[in-house]
Amino acid sequence: MEPKPKDESQPSDQWPHKAWSLLSAVRRHSPLIQCITNFVSMDLMANTLLSAGASPAMLHTLEEIPDFTPQVHALCLNVGTLSADWLPAMKAAAEFASKSGKPWVLDPVAAGASVFRLRACLELVQLKPTVIRGNGSEIMALSKASVGPTKGVDSSHESTDAMEAAKALAQASGAIVAVSGAIDVVTDGKRVVGAHNGVAMLQKITATGCSVTALIAAFVAVDQSNALEATALALSIFGVAGELGMSLARGPASLRMHLIDSLYGLDEATLISRVKITSFGD
């Protein structure tokens, strides 16, 4: 008798074990992650990376990039407080990372808010990021290459609304595309998985989206050959830390503190019992 095909619509019992394995690898190897990011997010991004076991470097000077970027394990680019002065450094860092065979992750913050911002994001996409992580509105703007009404850095669309746009962007760019939302959607253009962990109050803390992008960079750094899985697992693990933090928090400020503590203290039993990733199928 031929074996029955695996039902991809059901949660895989392998995801939680993969989550612990990958988090352990990050803690063991402490990958160096260069972040060229916005002024608002630097603190939380750096502390998220440190609490997960990675090593952050907030280095964005163009003159230092030829010496420094080839030495990192992954690069994270975030356009939140984009300026004309920083864009050349972002492009140079992406080029050096690619030439060095290092993965890099793009966070196209408010991509559709202005022509300048959209053009900059599209130019960065042309430099072949390993992963693109944004909210539904950002991914739809990139996929359509169009400026439209926005709520600043907040999304006007659910992640599942942007699923087809994400698949199209992944196919066009060659990147893994992740869409943050109530369910975090991750696709390579064909396969689509959803990470179901997290709490709504994370949206009330600035830079949590930026921080999970940095965490994705750390996870991809230790498992570059499985970038889709590494991306989904980073999103799920960050969500689990948010759930644990929420159980101790009284509001956004205390959740921020407990989020970092919870990410630092994650253990195998907790991840195996809480990580939830499922497949949407082809």
Side-chain angles (χ1 to χ4, degrees):
M1 181 182 295
E2 292 186 4
K4 294 175 66 176
K6 184 178 178 181
D7 183 357
E8 293 289 356
S9 66
Q10 297 301 314
S12 168
D13 59 2
Q14 295 302 308
W15 284 108
H17 294 281
K18 289 179 181 178
W20 175 246
S21 176
L22 202 53
L23 179 60
S24 297
V26 171
R27 289 172 171 174
R28 185 167 60 252
H29 296 293
S30 190
L32 177 61
I33 311 301
Q34 180 184 359
C35 301
I36 303 181
T37 189
N38 67 79
F39 294 114
V40 178
S41 71
M42 287 184 183
D43 174 79
L44 187 56
M45 284 178 71
N47 281 298
T48 295
L49 287 169
L50 286 168
S51 63
S55 179
M58 296 349 213
L59 185 147
H60 58 261
T61 303
L62 178 60
E63 289 75 11
E64 290 187 281
I65 284 169
D67 294 327
F68 188 82
T69 302
Q71 311 305 318
V72 306
H73 296 103
L75 169 70
C76 178
L77 299 183
N78 178 301
V79 302
T81 51
L82 184 65
S83 73
D85 293 334
W86 278 30
L87 188 55
M90 290 182 174
K91 291 180 179 179
E95 290 172 349
F96 273 106
S98 296
K99 289 177 182 177
S100 303
K102 309 296 175 60
W104 71 276
V105 182
L106 173 64
D107 193 331
V109 179
S114 70
V115 172
F116 168 71
R117 184 173 291 268
L118 178 62
R119 183 180 297 122
C121 288
L122 292 173
E123 290 172 357
L124 289 169
V125 170
Q126 291 298 313
L127 298 176
K128 300 296 183 182
T130 309
V131 181
I132 301 169
R133 200 290 315 171
N135 62 38
S137 295
E138 291 160 354
I139 297 303
M140 291 172 75
L142 274 188
S143 181
K144 297 176 181 177
S146 63
V147 174
T150 73
K151 294 171 63 180
V153 300
D154 297 323
S155 182
S156 301
H157 302 88
E158 294 294 332
S159 56
T160 49
D161 296 336
M163 190 180 300
E164 292 306 314
K167 290 171 69 175
L169 180 60
Q171 291 167 2
S173 66
I176 301 301
V177 176
V179 191
S180 294
I183 301 172
D184 297 320
V185 174
V186 185
T187 182
D188 60 5
K190 294 181 179 179
R191 185 182 179 195
V192 185
V193 300
H196 298 258
N197 297 102
V199 293
M201 195 175 286
L202 287 172
Q203 298 175 33
K204 301 297 184 183
I205 306 171
T206 189
T208 51
C210 306
S211 297
V212 79
T213 303
L215 190 64
I216 289 169
F219 275 49
V220 174
V222 298
D223 196 9
Q224 187 174 352
S225 62
N226 295 296
L228 184 146
E229 288 81 0
T231 299
L233 290 166
L235 288 160
S236 183
I237 287 171
F238 189 83
V240 169
E243 293 168 0
L244 296 172
M246 191 70 234
S247 68
L248 301 169
R250 300 181 63 183
S254 54
L255 175 56
R256 185 185 192 275
M257 176 184 70
H258 289 302
L259 168 71
I260 295 170
D261 283 351
S262 296
L263 183 56
Y264 175 80
L266 282 174
D267 58 30
E268 184 175 8
T270 300
L271 285 184
I272 289 175
S273 66
R274 299 187 76 115
V275 163
K276 185 178 180 184
I277 299 174
T278 60
S279 176
F280 285 98
D282 294 337

